[in-house]
Amino acid sequence: MLPELLNILLLTLRVSGTALLISILIGIGLGVFVALRDFPARKLVIGVINTGMGLPPVVVGLLVLLFLWRGGPLGFLELIYTPTAMIIAQVILGTPIIAGLTLATIQSVPQKYKWQAQALGAQGWQMAWLLIRETRLSLLAAIMAGFGGIISEVGAVMMVGGNIKGQTRVMTTAIVLESQRGEIELAVLLGLFLLALSFSVNLGLTIIQQRTKRA
Amino acid sequence: MIKALLGPNGAGKSTYLRRLMGLDIGKIDRQMTMVFQEPLLFDLTVKENVALGLRFRQDKAVKEKVGRWLENLGIAHLSARRTLTLSGGEAQKVALARAFVLEPKVLLLDEPFANLDLPAQLELRAKLKKIIHDNRVETIWVTHNKAEALEIADHLMIMIDRKIVQEGPPERVVQSPASEEIAVFLGIENIFHGRVVINDGRSYFENDRIRFEVATEGKADAWAVVHPEDIIISEQPIAKTSARNTIAGTVSDIIKSGLTYRILIKAGEEFKVNITRASADELTLTPGNNVYLTFKATAVHIT
C-alpha cells in the first residue's frame, strides 16, 4: 500500500507542480500584458479571463475530453488518459485565476508610478519587470490562489485522466475512489496527505512573501 | 537655464509637462526625464531606486554614477535604506538623484517641492537651482508658487487656462504683465482701467476717478499698474522731486503684516502702498489722515 501511496503523491506533485508552473508563466505574462497594453478586443479578453476564474472543473474536463477524445480534433495526439491531459486541464483552470488576479494587481498600481517608470526610460519588459517586483506580495497571493484551485480540483482530472491505478491516479481522485469503495481510513489518510502537501507549498510561498516585506 | 512655468491650479501645467515628456502616447525621449510632486519611489532600497534608469539603459558605470549623485544630494548615508522609511524631504532628494544620475539634456519638474514644509522647500530650492546651473541642464520647473518661480527662474512663463499667456525675464513679466488677468494672478496691486490721452505733448492716464501723467502713447482702452514699491507716501507735498505725479488722498485703512504695513489710500482710485513699520511710526499715520502719493510717470506701466 505504501509504495502505491507514494506513487500517488509523486504523480500529484508532478501533475499539479507542472500545471502550476505553466499557469504562472502564462497567467502572469498574460495578466501583465493585458494590464499594460491597449489592443483591439481588450475588454473581451478581460471578460474571458474573469469568467475563466470561476470555471467549473467538470466543464473544463468535459471540454478537454472532447478535444482529446480519439475521434476529437486533437485525438491524434493520443493524450487522453495520460498525465499530460491532466496537466492541460489544470492549466486551463489555474491560468485564468493567476491572470485575473495579476491583471487586477497591475491595474491597481497608480498611473503616476507607471508614468514615473516611463520617465526613467523603462521600455516594454523593463516596465513589466519593475511592476512585477513592485507588486510581488500580491502576485504571490495570486499564485497561491492558482495553486489552491489546481491542487484541490477533482472533476477534470478524473474525466481526462481516468483515475487509472499507477498511471493517472492522483490524491483527489484516489480519495473519491477509496471513500466510494468504503475504504474510509485510507481516504482519510490520503486527505491528510493532501492537506499536508497543500499546507507545505503554501507555507513555502508565504515565507517567500513575508521575507520580501521586511523593511 | 531654468524656465519656470507658473500658473494657478488647474491651468493645465502638469498636462503640458506630461505631453512634453510624451507620457500620454508612451513615446519617451531618453534624453529627458521628469520628477513629480510626489517622490514616487519604488519599493527597493535608495540606491536601487537611483540606479533604475541607468539599469534600463544598460549603463556600464551604474555604481560610480549612483554613488556620485547620492553624494551630491547629501543622501549617501541613506543608500541602503528601504524607501518606505524615508521622510518627505529625503524621499524627494532620492527622486532628484534618480533623475540627475541619467545626465538628462532636459529635466521636467512638476511642483517638486509642493508637498514639503517651508524650511525643507527653501533648502531644496536653493540646492536644486545650484545643481541645475552647475550641470547646465535645460529645466522646465512647474509651480503655482509665485515666490518660488521668481527665486528660481531665468525665464518665466505664465500659463492660464491651458495657454502660455506671457513669457520673458521674470522681472519684466512682473513689471509689465501683459493683461489684467496676469496682473491679478501675479498679485500685482494698483491696477486701474481707463484710457491714455495726449495733452500739450504729454500723456495722461485718466478715468472718472483719477488722472496722472504717464510715459506712453495714447490708448483708448488701457490698464495702468503702479507698483506699491514705486510710490512714496508723505504728509506734505514733496517740494523737490523729479516725479511728475503728486496726488492727494486720505488714509482709509492700515493693515499690519509682519514688519511692514500696508496702507490703503483713497485718492480717487484706491491705492495700496507698502511701508516699513519705522516709516509708519515716523508718519503717524491713522485712518482719515490726509497724505500725498508721489510717483514717476515712467513708473506707471500701461497695457
Side-chain angles (χ1 to χ4, degrees):
Chain A
M1 195 187 83
L2 203 62
E4 197 197 329
L5 246 177
L6 197 67
N7 214 347
I8 294 175
L9 185 69
L10 286 177
L11 184 68
T12 305
L13 270 177
R14 203 183 100 205
V15 168
S16 292
T18 311
L20 180 65
L21 278 180
I22 298 173
S23 299
I24 290 172
L25 289 176
I26 305 177
I28 291 190
L30 184 66
V32 170
F33 182 83
V34 175
L36 294 182
R37 284 296 167 86
D38 206 8
F39 52 89
R42 179 169 178 269
K43 286 221 173 81
L44 184 73
V45 172
I46 294 176
V48 170
I49 291 173
N50 286 339
T51 311
M53 291 176 77
L55 279 183
V58 274
V59 176
V60 172
L62 186 63
L63 210 76
V64 175
L65 191 69
L66 285 173
F67 270 85
L68 297 183
W69 192 247
R70 231 164 284 143
L74 299 176
F76 65 93
L77 295 173
E78 296 185 351
L79 288 176
I80 195 73
Y81 303 138
T82 63
T84 308
M86 297 156 78
I87 292 172
I88 292 172
Q90 291 196 342
V91 166
I92 294 176
L93 287 165
T95 300
I97 297 176
I98 297 179
L101 293 175
T102 300
L103 172 66
T105 298
I106 301 291
Q107 277 190 319
S108 69
V109 175
Q111 180 63 45
K112 50 197 174 184
Y113 279 91
K114 295 170 190 165
W115 279 335
Q116 177 67 80
Q118 279 186 302
L120 291 171
Q123 294 168 344
W125 283 108
Q126 298 170 335
M127 171 75 91
W129 170 84
L130 183 63
L131 293 180
I132 287 170
R133 274 209 67 159
E134 189 68 10
T135 58
R136 54 199 183 270
L137 291 181
S138 304
L139 293 186
L140 277 164
I143 290 171
M144 286 188 234
F147 177 71
I150 286 172
I151 194 74
S152 62
E153 181 282 319
V154 53
V157 283
M158 183 80 95
M159 291 173 82
V160 304
N163 196 19
I164 302 164
K165 185 177 173 184
Q167 287 179 35
T168 58
R169 183 164 298 168
V170 288
M171 307 288 282
T172 52
T173 57
I175 292 170
V176 172
L177 182 73
E178 299 304 342
S179 58
Q180 280 173 344
R181 282 211 301 220
E183 299 276 356
I184 300 299
E185 279 174 31
L186 188 54
V188 170
L189 188 64
L190 281 162
L192 288 174
F193 263 104
L194 182 58
L195 263 181
L197 175 65
S198 178
F199 181 74
S200 39
V201 170
N202 278 312
L203 185 69
L205 289 172
T206 308
I207 288 170
I208 298 173
Q209 186 189 43
Q210 295 308 312
R211 199 176 45 200
T212 66
K213 184 114 211 246
R214 193 182 50 199
Chain B
M1 165 87 159
I2 301 178
K3 293 183 177 181
L5 179 60
L6 177 66
N9 288 325
K13 306 185 295 296
S14 297
T15 313
Y16 177 82
L17 275 200
R18 281 208 303 275
R19 203 158 288 156
L20 276 182
M21 188 72 224
L23 291 176
D24 297 322
I25 50 166
K27 276 220 179 330
I28 306 299
D29 177 352
R30 279 187 164 180
Q31 297 196 316
M32 281 172 118
T33 190
M34 183 162 170
V35 174
F36 295 80
Q37 183 170 344
E38 295 160 70
L40 301 178
L41 302 180
F42 294 94
D43 184 16
L44 307 161
T45 64
V46 166
K47 62 168 182 267
E48 285 169 333
N49 263 284
V50 176
L52 266 179
L54 293 174
R55 297 224 184 277
F56 292 151
R57 288 160 177 74
Q58 268 123 36
D59 194 283
K60 295 278 189 292
V62 175
K63 217 174 163 190
E64 183 264 317
K65 289 181 184 172
V66 169
R68 179 150 45 90
W69 278 101
L70 288 174
E71 202 66 56
N72 286 352
L73 278 146
I75 47 173
H77 59 293
L78 303 173
S79 167
R81 284 264 289 275
R82 289 288 287 271
T83 52
L84 295 169
T85 64
L86 301 177
S87 74
E90 290 169 340
Q92 201 57 299
K93 284 183 199 168
V94 176
L96 288 169
R98 187 172 61 176
F100 278 112
V101 78
L102 302 176
E103 293 158 6
K105 280 225 171 72
V106 179
L107 174 64
L108 308 180
L109 303 169
D110 190 1
E111 308 246 14
F113 305 139
N115 284 357
L116 304 180
D117 55 30
L118 197 59
Q121 270 189 39
L122 297 178
E123 179 214 330
L124 275 176
R125 202 186 280 167
K127 191 168 199 145
L128 180 54
K129 183 179 172 181
K130 184 171 182 328
I131 292 176
I132 291 170
H133 283 141
D134 290 351
N135 291 277
R136 300 168 184 282
V137 186
E138 193 70 36
T139 300
I140 299 182
W141 183 327
V142 159
T143 179
H144 69 270
N145 179 338
K146 180 184 155 197
E148 179 170 274
L150 294 179
E151 190 178 321
I152 52 105
D154 299 309
H155 181 90
L156 182 63
M157 303 187 286
I158 308 286
M159 177 174 271
I160 293 175
D161 212 7
R162 306 190 178 275
K163 282 192 283 289
I164 292 176
V165 289
Q166 187 176 4
E167 59 182 305
E171 320 75 49
R172 234 199 25 234
V173 173
V174 173
Q175 185 66 38
S176 321
S179 71
E180 191 209 3
E181 193 182 31
I182 298 170
V184 169
F185 168 66
L186 290 174
I188 292 167
E189 292 168 319
N190 306 330
I191 314 172
F192 312 121
H193 188 228
R195 60 197 166 270
V196 178
V197 295
I198 312 280
N199 219 333
D200 290 337
R202 286 189 170 165
S203 305
Y204 296 90
F205 173 87
E206 63 172 31
N207 62 25
D208 298 344
R209 296 171 290 281
I210 198 162
R211 179 183 161 97
F212 50 78
E213 193 171 338
V214 296
T216 59
E217 319 223 306
K219 201 172 181 212
D221 187 17
W223 290 95
V225 176
V226 192
H227 289 281
E229 293 76 16
D230 290 331
I231 302 174
I232 299 167
I233 187 169
S234 58
E235 284 167 307
Q236 299 298 325
I238 298 175
K240 287 181 90 177
T241 173
S242 60
R244 294 210 176 264
N245 294 302
T246 298
I247 300 175
T250 316
V251 176
S252 59
D253 203 359
I254 298 169
I255 302 161
K256 293 178 188 174
S257 161
L259 294 177
T260 59
Y261 283 19
R262 287 161 59 72
I263 317 291
L264 273 52
I265 295 146
K266 200 94 186 112
E269 292 277 11
E270 176 150 279
F271 281 81
K272 297 191 184 80
V273 182
N274 299 330
I275 61 174
T276 61
R277 198 165 58 189
S279 316
D281 291 346
E282 186 69 26
L283 288 165
T284 60
L285 289 174
T286 47
N289 277 13
N290 291 325
V291 290
Y292 293 88
L293 302 176
T294 306
F295 53 92
K296 295 181 176 179
T298 50
V300 182
H301 171 65
I302 299 285
T303 56

